[in-house]
Coordinates of all heavy atoms in Angstrom, one line a residue:
L95 N -9.2 -21.5 -2.0 CA -8.3 -22.6 -2.3 C -7.0 -22.6 -1.5 O -6.8 -21.5 -0.8 CB -7.9 -22.7 -3.7 CG -8.8 -22.8 -4.8 CD1 -8.3 -22.4 -6.2 CD2 -9.6 -24.0 -4.7
E96 N -6.5 -23.6 -1.1 CA -5.1 -23.7 -0.3 C -4.1 -22.7 -0.9 O -3.5 -22.0 -0.1 CB -4.6 -25.1 -0.2 CG -3.5 -25.2 0.7 CD -3.0 -26.6 1.1 OE1 -3.6 -27.6 0.3 OE2 -2.2 -26.8 1.9
E97 N -4.0 -22.7 -2.4 CA -3.1 -21.8 -2.9 C -3.4 -20.3 -2.5 O -2.5 -19.4 -2.6 CB -2.8 -22.1 -4.3 CG -4.0 -22.1 -5.2 CD -4.4 -23.2 -5.8 OE1 -4.3 -24.3 -5.3 OE2 -5.0 -23.1 -7.0
D98 N -4.6 -20.0 -2.5 CA -5.1 -18.6 -2.2 C -4.7 -18.3 -0.7 O -4.0 -17.1 -0.6 CB -6.7 -18.5 -2.2 CG -7.2 -18.7 -3.7 OD1 -6.4 -18.4 -4.6 OD2 -8.4 -18.9 -3.8
L99 N -4.8 -19.0 0.1 CA -4.4 -18.8 1.5 C -2.8 -18.8 1.6 O -2.3 -17.9 2.2 CB -4.9 -20.0 2.4 CG -5.2 -19.6 3.9 CD1 -6.1 -18.4 4.0 CD2 -5.8 -20.8 4.5
N100 N -2.1 -19.5 0.8 CA -0.7 -19.5 0.7 C -0.3 -18.2 0.1 O 0.8 -17.7 0.6 CB -0.2 -20.7 0.0 CG -0.2 -22.0 0.8 OD1 -0.4 -22.0 2.0 ND2 -0.3 -23.1 0.0
D101 N -0.9 -17.8 -0.9 CA -0.5 -16.4 -1.5 C -0.7 -15.3 -0.5 O 0.2 -14.4 -0.5 CB -1.3 -16.2 -2.8 CG -0.8 -17.1 -4.0 OD1 0.2 -17.7 -3.9 OD2 -1.7 -17.2 -4.8
I102 N -1.8 -15.3 0.2 CA -2.0 -14.3 1.3 C -0.9 -14.3 2.2 O -0.4 -13.3 2.6 CB -3.4 -14.4 1.9 CG1 -4.5 -14.2 0.8 CG2 -3.6 -13.5 3.1 CD1 -5.9 -14.7 1.2
W103 N -0.5 -15.5 2.7 CA 0.4 -15.7 3.8 C 1.7 -15.1 3.1 O 2.5 -14.4 3.9 CB 0.7 -17.2 4.1 CG 1.6 -17.4 5.1 CD1 1.4 -17.3 6.5 CD2 3.0 -17.7 4.9 NE1 2.5 -17.6 7.2 CE2 3.5 -17.9 6.3 CE3 3.7 -17.9 3.9 CZ2 4.9 -18.1 6.5 CZ3 5.2 -18.1 4.1 CH2 5.5 -18.3 5.5
K104 N 2.1 -15.4 1.9 CA 3.3 -14.8 1.3 C 3.4 -13.3 1.3 O 4.3 -12.6 1.5 CB 3.6 -15.5 0.0 CG 3.9 -16.8 -0.1 CD 3.9 -17.2 -1.6 CE 4.1 -18.8 -1.7 NZ 4.0 -19.3 -2.9
I105 N 2.2 -12.7 0.9 CA 2.1 -11.3 0.9 C 2.3 -10.7 2.4 O 3.0 -9.5 2.6 CB 0.8 -10.8 0.3 CG1 0.8 -11.1 -1.2 CG2 0.6 -9.3 0.6 CD1 -0.6 -10.9 -1.9
I106 N 1.7 -11.2 3.3 CA 1.7 -10.8 4.7 C 3.2 -11.1 5.2 O 3.7 -10.1 5.9 CB 0.7 -11.5 5.6 CG1 -0.6 -11.0 5.2 CG2 1.0 -11.2 7.1 CD1 -1.7 -11.7 6.0
S107 N 3.8 -12.2 4.9 CA 5.2 -12.3 5.2 C 6.2 -11.3 4.7 O 7.0 -10.8 5.3 CB 5.6 -13.8 4.7 OG 4.8 -14.7 5.4
K108 N 5.9 -10.9 3.5 CA 6.8 -10.1 2.7 C 6.5 -8.5 3.3 O 7.5 -7.8 3.7 CB 6.5 -10.0 1.3 CG 7.4 -9.1 0.6 CD 7.2 -9.3 -1.0 CE 8.3 -8.4 -1.8 NZ 8.0 -8.5 -3.2
Y109 N 5.3 -8.1 3.4 CA 5.0 -6.7 3.7 C 4.6 -6.4 5.3 O 4.8 -5.4 5.6 CB 4.0 -6.2 2.8 CG 4.3 -6.1 1.4 CD1 3.8 -7.1 0.5 CD2 5.2 -5.1 0.9 CE1 4.1 -7.1 -0.8 CE2 5.5 -5.1 -0.5 CZ 5.0 -6.1 -1.3 OH 5.4 -6.2 -2.6
Y110 N 4.2 -7.4 5.8 CA 3.9 -7.4 7.3 C 4.5 -8.4 8.1 O 3.7 -9.1 8.8 CB 2.4 -7.3 7.5 CG 1.7 -6.1 6.7 CD1 1.1 -6.5 5.4 CD2 1.8 -4.9 7.1 CE1 0.6 -5.6 4.6 CE2 1.0 -3.9 6.1 CZ 0.6 -4.2 4.9 OH 0.0 -3.2 4.2
P111 N 5.7 -8.6 8.0 CA 6.3 -9.7 8.8 C 6.0 -9.9 10.3 O 5.8 -11.0 10.9 CB 7.9 -9.6 8.6 CG 8.0 -8.3 8.1 CD 6.7 -7.7 7.5
E112 N 5.8 -8.8 10.9 CA 5.5 -8.7 12.2 C 4.0 -9.2 12.5 O 3.6 -9.5 13.7 CB 5.5 -7.3 12.9 CG 4.6 -6.2 12.4 CD 4.8 -5.7 10.9 OE1 5.7 -6.1 10.3 OE2 4.0 -4.9 10.6
R113 N 3.1 -9.3 11.4 CA 1.8 -9.8 11.6 C 1.7 -11.1 11.2 O 0.5 -11.7 11.2 CB 0.8 -8.9 10.8 CG 1.0 -7.4 11.1 CD 0.4 -7.2 12.3 NE 0.4 -5.6 12.6 CZ -0.1 -5.0 13.6 NH1 -0.6 -5.8 14.7 NH2 0.3 -3.7 13.8
K114 N 2.7 -11.8 10.7 CA 2.6 -13.1 10.1 C 2.0 -14.2 11.1 O 1.1 -14.9 10.9 CB 4.0 -13.6 9.6 CG 4.0 -15.0 8.8 CD 5.3 -15.3 8.3 CE 6.3 -15.4 9.5 NZ 7.8 -15.8 9.0
E115 N 2.6 -14.1 12.3 CA 2.1 -15.2 13.3 C 0.6 -14.9 13.6 O -0.2 -15.8 14.0 CB 3.0 -14.9 14.6 CG 2.7 -16.0 15.7 CD 3.7 -15.9 16.7 OE1 4.8 -15.3 16.7 OE2 3.4 -16.6 17.8
F116 N 0.3 -13.6 13.7 CA -1.2 -13.2 14.0 C -2.1 -13.9 12.9 O -3.2 -14.5 13.2 CB -1.3 -11.8 14.1 CG -2.8 -11.4 14.6 CD1 -3.2 -11.3 15.8 CD2 -3.8 -11.3 13.6 CE1 -4.3 -11.0 16.2 CE2 -5.1 -10.9 13.8 CZ -5.5 -10.7 15.2
F117 N -1.6 -13.7 11.7 CA -2.5 -14.3 10.6 C -2.5 -15.8 10.7 O -3.6 -16.5 10.4 CB -1.8 -13.9 9.3 CG -2.5 -14.5 8.0 CD1 -3.7 -14.1 7.6 CD2 -1.8 -15.5 7.3 CE1 -4.3 -14.5 6.5 CE2 -2.6 -16.0 6.2 CZ -3.9 -15.5 5.8
E118 N -1.4 -16.6 11.2 CA -1.5 -17.9 11.1 C -2.5 -18.3 12.4 O -3.2 -19.2 12.1 CB -0.1 -18.4 11.5 CG 0.8 -18.4 10.4 CD 2.3 -18.6 10.8 OE1 2.6 -18.7 12.0 OE2 3.2 -18.5 9.7
H119 N -2.4 -17.6 13.4 CA -3.4 -17.8 14.6 C -4.9 -17.5 14.1 O -5.9 -18.1 14.5 CB -3.1 -17.0 15.7 CG -1.8 -17.7 16.4 ND1 -1.8 -18.8 17.2 CD2 -0.5 -17.2 16.4 CE1 -0.8 -19.1 17.6 NE2 0.2 -18.1 17.2
A120 N -5.1 -16.5 13.2 CA -6.3 -16.2 12.8 C -7.0 -17.5 11.9 O -8.2 -17.6 12.0 CB -6.4 -14.9 11.9
I121 N -6.1 -18.0 11.2 CA -6.5 -19.2 10.4 C -7.0 -20.3 11.4 O -8.1 -20.9 11.2 CB -5.4 -19.6 9.4 CG1 -5.1 -18.6 8.3 CG2 -5.8 -21.0 8.8 CD1 -3.9 -18.8 7.6
E122 N -6.2 -20.5 12.5 CA -6.5 -21.6 13.3 C -7.9 -21.1 14.0 O -8.9 -22.0 14.2 CB -5.5 -21.8 14.4 CG -4.3 -22.4 13.9 CD -4.5 -23.7 13.3 OE1 -5.2 -24.7 13.7 OE2 -3.9 -24.0 12.2
A123 N -8.1 -19.9 14.4 CA -9.3 -19.4 14.9 C -10.6 -19.7 13.9 O -11.5 -20.1 14.4 CB -9.3 -17.9 15.2
Q124 N -10.4 -19.5 12.7 CA -11.4 -19.9 11.7 C -11.6 -21.3 11.6 O -12.9 -21.7 11.5 CB -10.9 -19.3 10.2 CG -10.8 -17.8 10.1 CD -12.1 -17.1 10.5 OE1 -13.2 -17.5 10.2 NE2 -12.0 -16.0 11.2
K125 N -10.7 -22.2 11.8 CA -11.0 -23.5 11.9 C -11.9 -23.8 13.2 O -12.8 -24.7 13.0 CB -9.7 -24.4 12.1 CG -8.8 -24.3 10.9 CD -7.6 -25.1 11.1 CE -6.8 -25.2 9.8 NZ -5.5 -25.9 10.0
T126 N -11.6 -23.2 14.3 CA -12.5 -23.3 15.5 C -13.9 -22.9 15.3 O -14.8 -23.5 15.6 CB -11.9 -22.7 16.6 OG1 -10.5 -23.2 16.9 CG2 -12.6 -22.8 17.9
I127 N -14.0 -21.8 14.5 CA -15.3 -21.2 14.3 C -16.1 -22.2 13.4 O -17.4 -22.4 13.6 CB -15.3 -19.8 13.7 CG1 -14.7 -18.8 14.6 CG2 -16.6 -19.3 13.0 CD1 -14.2 -17.4 14.2
I128 N -15.4 -22.6 12.4 CA -16.1 -23.6 11.4 C -16.5 -24.9 12.3 O -17.6 -25.4 12.1 CB -15.2 -24.0 10.3 CG1 -15.0 -22.8 9.5 CG2 -15.8 -25.1 9.4 CD1 -13.9 -22.9 8.3
K129 N -15.7 -25.4 13.1 CA -16.0 -26.5 14.0 C -17.2 -26.2 14.8 O -18.2 -27.1 15.0 CB -14.8 -26.9 14.9 CG -15.1 -28.1 15.7 CD -13.8 -28.3 16.7 CE -14.1 -29.2 17.7 NZ -13.5 -29.0 19.0
H130 N -17.3 -25.0 15.4 CA -18.6 -24.7 16.2 C -19.7 -24.7 15.4 O -20.9 -25.1 15.7 CB -18.2 -23.4 17.0 CG -17.2 -23.5 18.1 ND1 -16.7 -22.3 18.5 CD2 -16.6 -24.6 18.6 CE1 -15.9 -22.7 19.4 NE2 -15.7 -23.9 19.4
K131 N -19.6 -24.1 14.2 CA -20.8 -24.1 13.3 C -21.3 -25.4 12.8 O -22.6 -25.7 12.8 CB -20.5 -23.2 12.0 CG -20.4 -21.7 12.2 CD -20.2 -21.0 11.0 CE -20.2 -19.5 11.2 NZ -20.0 -18.6 9.9
I132 N -20.3 -26.3 12.6 CA -20.7 -27.7 12.2 C -21.4 -28.3 13.4 O -22.5 -28.9 13.3 CB -19.5 -28.5 11.8 CG1 -19.0 -28.1 10.4 CG2 -19.9 -30.1 11.7 CD1 -17.7 -28.6 9.9
E133 N -21.1 -28.1 14.6 CA -21.6 -28.7 15.8 C -23.0 -28.2 16.1 O -23.9 -28.8 16.5 CB -20.8 -28.5 17.1 CG -19.4 -29.2 17.0 CD -18.5 -28.7 18.2 OE1 -18.7 -27.8 18.9 OE2 -17.4 -29.5 18.4
Q134 N -23.1 -26.9 15.6 CA -24.5 -26.2 15.8 C -25.5 -26.8 14.7 O -26.7 -26.7 15.0 CB -24.4 -24.7 15.5 CG -23.7 -24.0 16.7 CD -23.5 -22.6 16.5 OE1 -23.8 -22.1 15.4 NE2 -23.0 -21.9 17.4
R135 N -25.0 -27.3 13.7 CA -25.9 -27.8 12.6 C -26.1 -29.2 12.6 O -26.8 -29.8 11.8 CB -25.3 -27.4 11.2 CG -25.2 -25.9 11.1 CD -24.6 -25.5 9.8 NE -24.5 -24.0 9.8 CZ -24.1 -23.4 8.8 NH1 -23.8 -24.0 7.6 NH2 -24.2 -22.0 8.7
T136 N -25.3 -30.0 13.6 CA -25.4 -31.5 13.5 C -25.8 -31.9 14.9 O -25.8 -31.1 16.0 CB -24.1 -32.1 13.1 OG1 -23.1 -31.7 14.0 CG2 -23.7 -31.7 11.6
G137 N -26.2 -33.2 14.9 CA -26.5 -33.8 16.3 C -27.9 -33.6 16.7 O -28.7 -32.9 16.0
L138 N -28.3 -34.2 17.8 CA -29.6 -34.1 18.2 C -30.2 -32.8 18.7 O -31.2 -32.4 18.3 CB -29.8 -35.1 19.6 CG -31.1 -35.3 20.2 CD1 -32.1 -35.8 19.3 CD2 -31.2 -36.1 21.4
K139 N -29.3 -32.0 19.4 CA -29.8 -30.7 19.7 C -30.0 -29.9 18.5 O -31.1 -29.2 18.5 CB -28.6 -30.1 20.6 CG -28.8 -28.8 21.2 CD -27.8 -28.0 21.9 CE -27.6 -28.3 23.2 NZ -26.6 -27.6 24.0
A140 N -29.2 -29.9 17.5 CA -29.4 -29.2 16.3 C -30.7 -29.6 15.5 O -31.5 -28.8 15.0 CB -28.2 -29.2 15.4
A141 N -30.9 -30.9 15.5 CA -32.0 -31.5 14.8 C -33.3 -31.0 15.5 O -34.3 -30.7 14.9 CB -31.9 -32.9 14.8
I142 N -33.4 -30.9 16.9 CA -34.5 -30.6 17.6 C -34.8 -29.0 17.4 O -35.9 -28.7 17.1 CB -34.3 -30.8 19.2 CG1 -34.4 -32.3 19.4 CG2 -35.4 -30.1 19.9 CD1 -34.1 -32.7 20.8
K143 N -33.8 -28.3 17.4 CA -33.8 -26.7 17.2 C -34.5 -26.5 15.7 O -35.3 -25.7 15.5 CB -32.5 -26.1 17.3 CG -32.2 -25.8 18.7 CD -30.9 -24.9 18.7 CE -30.5 -24.7 20.1 NZ -29.2 -24.0 20.2
R144 N -34.0 -27.2 14.8 CA -34.3 -27.0 13.4 C -35.6 -27.6 13.1 O -36.4 -26.9 12.4 CB -33.3 -27.9 12.5 CG -33.3 -27.6 11.0 CD -32.2 -28.2 10.3 NE -31.9 -29.6 10.5 CZ -30.8 -30.0 11.2 NH1 -29.9 -29.1 11.6 NH2 -30.6 -31.3 11.5
N145 N -36.1 -28.8 13.7 CA -37.2 -29.5 13.2 C -38.4 -29.2 14.1 O -39.5 -29.2 13.9 CB -37.1 -30.9 13.1 CG -36.1 -31.3 11.9 OD1 -36.2 -30.7 10.8 ND2 -35.0 -32.0 12.2
F146 N -38.0 -28.9 15.4 CA -39.0 -28.7 16.6 C -38.8 -27.4 17.4 O -38.5 -27.6 18.5 CB -39.2 -30.0 17.4 CG -39.3 -31.2 16.7 CD1 -38.3 -32.1 16.4 CD2 -40.6 -31.6 16.2 CE1 -38.4 -33.2 15.8 CE2 -40.8 -32.9 15.5 CZ -39.7 -33.6 15.2
P147 N -38.7 -26.3 16.7 CA -38.3 -25.1 17.5 C -39.2 -24.8 18.7 O -38.7 -24.2 19.7 CB -38.4 -24.0 16.4 CG -39.3 -24.5 15.3 CD -39.2 -26.0 15.3
Y148 N -40.4 -25.2 18.7 CA -41.3 -24.8 19.8 C -40.9 -25.8 21.1 O -41.5 -25.6 22.1 CB -43.0 -25.3 19.5 CG -43.0 -26.7 18.8 CD1 -43.3 -27.8 19.6 CD2 -42.9 -26.8 17.5 CE1 -43.5 -28.9 19.0 CE2 -43.1 -28.2 16.9 CZ -43.3 -29.2 17.8 OH -43.5 -30.5 17.2
L149 N -40.2 -26.8 20.8 CA -39.7 -27.6 22.1 C -38.5 -27.1 22.6 O -38.1 -27.6 23.9 CB -39.4 -29.1 21.5 CG -40.6 -29.8 21.2 CD1 -40.1 -31.4 20.7 CD2 -41.5 -30.2 22.3
T150 N -37.8 -26.3 22.0 CA -36.6 -25.7 22.6 C -36.7 -25.1 23.9 O -35.9 -25.6 24.8 CB -35.9 -24.6 21.6 OG1 -36.0 -25.3 20.3 CG2 -34.5 -24.3 22.0
R151 N -37.6 -24.3 24.2 CA -37.7 -23.6 25.4 C -38.1 -24.5 26.5 O -37.5 -24.6 27.6 CB -38.7 -22.4 25.4 CG -38.8 -21.7 26.7 CD -39.6 -20.4 26.5 NE -38.6 -19.4 26.0 CZ -39.1 -18.3 25.5 NH1 -40.3 -17.9 25.5 NH2 -38.2 -17.4 25.0
P152 N -39.2 -25.5 26.3 CA -39.5 -26.4 27.4 C -38.4 -27.3 27.7 O -38.0 -27.6 28.9 CB -40.7 -27.1 26.8 CG -41.2 -26.3 25.7 CD -40.1 -25.5 25.3
L153 N -37.5 -27.8 26.7 CA -36.6 -28.7 27.0 C -35.4 -28.0 27.8 O -34.7 -28.5 28.6 CB -35.9 -29.2 25.7 CG -36.8 -30.4 25.0 CD1 -36.2 -30.7 23.6 CD2 -36.9 -31.6 25.9
R154 N -35.2 -26.7 27.4 CA -34.2 -26.0 28.1 C -34.5 -25.8 29.7 O -33.8 -25.9 30.5 CB -34.0 -24.5 27.6 CG -32.8 -23.8 28.2 CD -32.5 -22.5 27.3 NE -32.0 -22.7 26.2 CZ -32.2 -22.1 25.1 NH1 -33.0 -21.1 25.1 NH2 -31.7 -22.4 24.0
S155 N -35.8 -25.6 29.9 CA -36.4 -25.4 31.2 C -36.2 -26.7 32.0 O -35.8 -26.6 33.1 CB -37.9 -25.0 31.1 OG -38.0 -23.8 30.7
I156 N -36.5 -27.8 31.4 CA -36.3 -29.1 32.0 C -34.8 -29.4 32.3 O -34.4 -29.8 33.3 CB -36.9 -30.3 31.0 CG1 -38.3 -30.2 30.9 CG2 -36.3 -31.6 31.6 CD1 -38.9 -31.0 30.0
H157 N -34.0 -28.9 31.4 CA -32.5 -29.1 31.5 C -32.0 -28.3 32.7 O -31.3 -28.8 33.6 CB -31.7 -28.7 30.3 CG -30.3 -28.8 30.4 ND1 -29.6 -30.0 30.3 CD2 -29.4 -27.9 30.6 CE1 -28.3 -29.8 30.4 NE2 -28.1 -28.6 30.6
V158 N -32.4 -27.0 32.9 CA -32.1 -26.2 33.9 C -32.6 -26.8 35.3 O -31.9 -26.8 36.3 CB -32.6 -24.7 33.8 CG1 -32.5 -24.0 35.1 CG2 -31.9 -24.1 32.6
A159 N -33.8 -27.2 35.3 CA -34.4 -27.8 36.5 C -33.7 -29.1 36.9 O -33.3 -29.2 38.2 CB -35.8 -28.2 36.2
L160 N -33.2 -29.9 35.9 CA -32.5 -31.1 36.3 C -31.1 -30.7 36.8 O -30.6 -31.4 37.9 CB -32.3 -32.0 35.1 CG -33.6 -32.8 34.6 CD1 -33.4 -33.5 33.4 CD2 -34.1 -33.8 35.8

Side-chain angles (χ1 to χ4, degrees):
L95 302 175
E96 186 171 6
E97 60 241 35
D98 295 338
L99 209 51
N100 290 336
D101 289 343
I102 294 167
W103 184 86
K104 288 175 189 172
I105 291 167
I106 290 172
S107 297
K108 181 176 180 179
Y109 295 104
Y110 306 99
E112 71 283 1
R113 307 283 180 186
K114 182 172 69 171
E115 189 175 343
F116 184 90
F117 179 69
E118 292 166 355
H119 286 285
I121 293 169
E122 291 304 313
Q124 293 304 318
K125 288 181 183 179
T126 300
I127 291 168
I128 290 168
K129 179 182 165 210
H130 292 168
K131 284 184 175 183
I132 290 171
E133 287 170 358
Q134 290 171 357
R135 295 176 183 188
T136 59
L138 180 61
K139 187 187 272 187
I142 290 170
K143 282 182 179 179
R144 188 173 48 251
N145 297 311
F146 308 101
Y148 54 88
L149 289 178
T150 304
R151 181 169 282 162
L153 288 173
R154 184 174 295 141
S155 298
I156 292 168
H157 180 76
V158 169
L160 290 172

